[in-house]
Amino acid sequence: DVKVTQSSRYLVKRTGEKVFLECVQDMDHENMFWYRQDPGLGLRLIYFSYDVKMKEKGDIPEGYSVSREKKERFSLILESASTNQTSMYLCASRGTGNQPQHFGDGTRLSIL
Amino acid sequence: GENVEQHPSTLSVQEGDSAVIKCTYSDSASNYFPWYKQELGKRPQLIIDIRSNVGEKKDQRIAVTLNKTAKHFSLHITETQPEDSAVYFCAASHFGNEKLTFGTGTRLTIIP
């Protein structure tokens, strides 16, 4: 079974802090994704990566950056956290060729 | 890019009745259509998917139908049970584009 592991289930940070959200997958998937989920807005793609050191902007990349130094790990970075980044963050991974996408358990991030 | 619309946003059905959720997509190149179920506080999980070379796929009480000409696909849940209560998301992608485009979700409530 595919395992996508996010480092924290709950996280509380202060405005202006630099925040790192980590995600690791164990299926050697090429593609990894970061979403945020807010009530009524569904799943919105922040960034994705289709290979090590490769990244592409999703629909809402402003205020975020990502890092993919190793194939199994994809990090989301909030350079200077703001209260409007309080949300549920979901990581996902997917193999190539129209394969199913698998999600982690999510990190509920609160910025105070 | 791809645009996926999902209806209805909320749906309540009596236990034992059927539920239908519909999605339309805009990119005629899309050929992979998964459905995800997200229970409260949990990760989205794949429940069924269909590729464009078939028009229907069934797995016990769940079925998905695809109309490529009209560019819409639907999730059908028969003999609904309380544990079917969740938010359901449809999505679409095509071979060579590993990014799934999600609908905005349907909150399904099964009334005992």
Side-chain angles (χ1 to χ4, degrees), chain A residues 3-4 9 31 33 35 37 41-43 45 48 59 90 94-105, chain B residues 31-32 36 38 41-46 49 51 87 89 93-100 102-105:
Chain A
K3 188 76 173 173
V4 180
R9 288 300 306 272
N31 305 290
F33 307 85
Y35 298 87
Q37 186 173 26
L41 297 178
L43 295 161
L45 183 65
F48 67 103
D59 302 316
L90 287 161
R94 188 183 188 200
T96 55
N98 272 346
Q99 294 303 307
Q101 181 165 300
H102 301 270
F103 286 88
D105 285 330
Chain B
N31 57 6
Y32 175 70
Y36 287 82
Q38 187 178 26
K42 296 192 175 180
R43 70 177 78 183
Q45 291 199 294
L46 179 74
D49 57 9
R51 290 174 173 78
V87 177
F89 293 96
S93 72
H94 60 78
F95 189 84
N97 175 14
E98 306 301 345
K99 184 182 77 168
L100 281 172
F102 284 88
T104 49

Side-chain angles (χ1 to χ4, degrees), chain A residues 28-92:
Chain A
D28 202 36
H29 284 165
E30 290 78 7
N31 305 290
M32 297 188 73
F33 307 85
W34 275 105
Y35 298 87
R36 66 176 279 176
Q37 186 173 26
D38 301 287
L41 297 178
L43 295 161
R44 294 185 291 168
L45 183 65
I46 304 170
Y47 267 98
F48 67 103
S49 168
Y50 52 89
D51 202 351
V52 176
K53 296 191 186 296
M54 306 302 289
K55 61 183 180 183
E56 285 201 24
K57 293 180 180 179
D59 302 316
I60 51 165
E62 297 77 20
Y64 302 94
S65 63
V66 290
S67 172
R68 192 155 179 214
E69 296 297 318
K70 294 184 177 181
K71 191 174 186 179
E72 68 270 18
R73 186 180 297 272
F74 191 35
S75 303
L76 180 69
I77 304 158
L78 285 66
E79 297 289 344
S80 178
S82 63
T83 54
N84 62 11
Q85 293 178 309
T86 291
S87 186
M88 169 68 82
Y89 290 87
L90 287 161
C91 175

